[in-house]
Amino acid sequence: SDVLFRSTKGTLVIGDRAVVKAKIEAGSVICKGNIQGEVVAKESIKLLSPGLIEGTMSAPRLSVETGGVFHGRVSMGVSS
Protein backbone atom coordinates (compact mmCIF):
# COMPACT_ATOMS: atom_id res chain seq x y z
CA SER A 1 0.00 0.00 0.00
CA ASP A 2 1.18 3.52 -0.78
CA VAL A 3 1.91 5.90 2.07
CA LEU A 4 0.70 9.49 1.77
CA PHE A 5 1.70 12.36 4.04
CA ARG A 6 -0.45 15.44 3.47
CA SER A 7 -0.24 18.77 5.29
CA THR A 8 -1.33 21.84 3.38
CA LYS A 9 0.28 24.25 5.84
CA GLY A 10 3.54 24.35 7.69
CA THR A 11 6.93 22.80 7.08
CA LEU A 12 7.81 19.11 7.07
CA VAL A 13 11.40 18.42 8.16
CA ILE A 14 12.99 15.08 7.29
CA GLY A 15 15.94 14.56 9.65
CA ASP A 16 19.35 13.32 8.57
CA ARG A 17 18.76 9.74 9.81
CA ALA A 18 15.21 9.42 8.45
CA VAL A 19 14.21 7.20 5.52
CA VAL A 20 10.78 8.01 4.07
CA LYS A 21 9.08 6.06 1.27
CA ALA A 22 5.92 8.04 0.54
CA LYS A 23 4.11 10.68 -1.45
CA ILE A 24 4.55 13.94 0.46
CA GLU A 25 2.32 17.00 0.07
CA ALA A 26 3.17 19.94 2.33
CA GLY A 27 3.47 23.71 2.49
CA SER A 28 7.28 23.44 2.55
CA VAL A 29 9.68 20.51 2.80
CA ILE A 30 13.21 20.51 4.23
CA CYS A 31 15.09 17.27 3.62
CA LYS A 32 18.34 16.21 5.30
CA GLY A 33 17.45 12.51 5.17
CA ASN A 34 16.34 10.09 2.46
CA ILE A 35 13.03 10.48 0.61
CA GLN A 36 11.91 7.98 -2.01
CA GLY A 37 8.75 9.00 -3.85
CA GLU A 38 6.94 12.15 -4.86
CA VAL A 39 7.45 15.45 -3.03
CA VAL A 40 4.95 18.27 -3.71
CA ALA A 41 5.26 21.58 -1.86
CA LYS A 42 3.02 24.63 -2.20
CA GLU A 43 5.90 26.96 -1.24
CA SER A 44 9.38 25.41 -1.38
CA ILE A 45 11.60 22.34 -1.18
CA LYS A 46 15.05 22.58 0.40
CA LEU A 47 17.39 19.62 -0.08
CA LEU A 48 20.21 19.93 2.44
CA SER A 49 23.41 17.91 2.86
CA PRO A 50 23.53 14.92 3.31
CA GLY A 51 19.95 14.58 2.00
CA LEU A 52 18.85 12.34 -0.86
CA ILE A 53 15.60 12.54 -2.84
CA GLU A 54 14.81 9.83 -5.38
CA GLY A 55 11.63 10.41 -7.38
CA THR A 56 9.89 13.62 -8.34
CA MET A 57 9.90 17.10 -6.82
CA SER A 58 7.35 19.80 -7.58
CA ALA A 59 7.40 23.29 -6.03
CA PRO A 60 7.50 26.97 -7.01
CA ARG A 61 10.93 27.29 -5.33
CA LEU A 62 13.66 24.67 -5.03
CA SER A 63 17.13 24.78 -3.49
CA VAL A 64 19.79 22.09 -3.31
CA GLU A 65 22.67 22.60 -0.91
CA THR A 66 26.15 21.34 -1.83
CA GLY A 67 26.18 17.71 -0.73
CA GLY A 68 22.47 17.17 -1.34
CA VAL A 69 21.71 14.48 -3.96
CA PHE A 70 18.69 14.26 -6.27
CA HIS A 71 17.75 11.57 -8.79
CA GLY A 72 14.52 12.03 -10.75
CA ARG A 73 12.28 14.70 -12.26
CA VAL A 74 11.71 18.30 -11.18
CA SER A 75 8.75 20.58 -11.92
CA MET A 76 9.01 24.23 -10.92
CA GLY A 77 6.47 27.01 -11.25
CA VAL A 78 3.33 28.29 -9.62
CA SER A 79 1.39 25.53 -7.89
CA SER A 80 -2.19 25.13 -8.99
Side-chain angles (χ1 to χ4, degrees):
S1 64
D2 292 340
V3 176
L4 170 64
F5 174 85
R6 180 178 289 145
S7 174
T8 57
K9 296 181 182 176
T11 300
L12 173 66
V13 179
I14 305 298
D16 58 0
R17 294 187 177 157
V19 177
V20 177
K21 295 180 181 180
K23 177 176 181 180
I24 295 171
E25 297 177 3
S28 295
V29 176
I30 298 172
C31 177
K32 291 184 78 173
N34 182 321
I35 299 175
Q36 297 173 19
E38 182 178 359
V39 182
V40 179
K42 287 191 173 293
E43 295 181 19
S44 67
I45 298 171
K46 292 182 181 179
L47 177 55
L48 305 178
S49 181
L52 167 67
I53 296 179
E54 295 180 285
T56 61
M57 291 192 290
S58 177
R61 291 186 307 280
L62 170 67
S63 64
V64 179
E65 180 179 71
T66 300
V69 179
F70 172 68
H71 299 287
R73 287 184 34 212
V74 175
S75 174
M76 292 179 66
V78 178
S79 62
S80 54

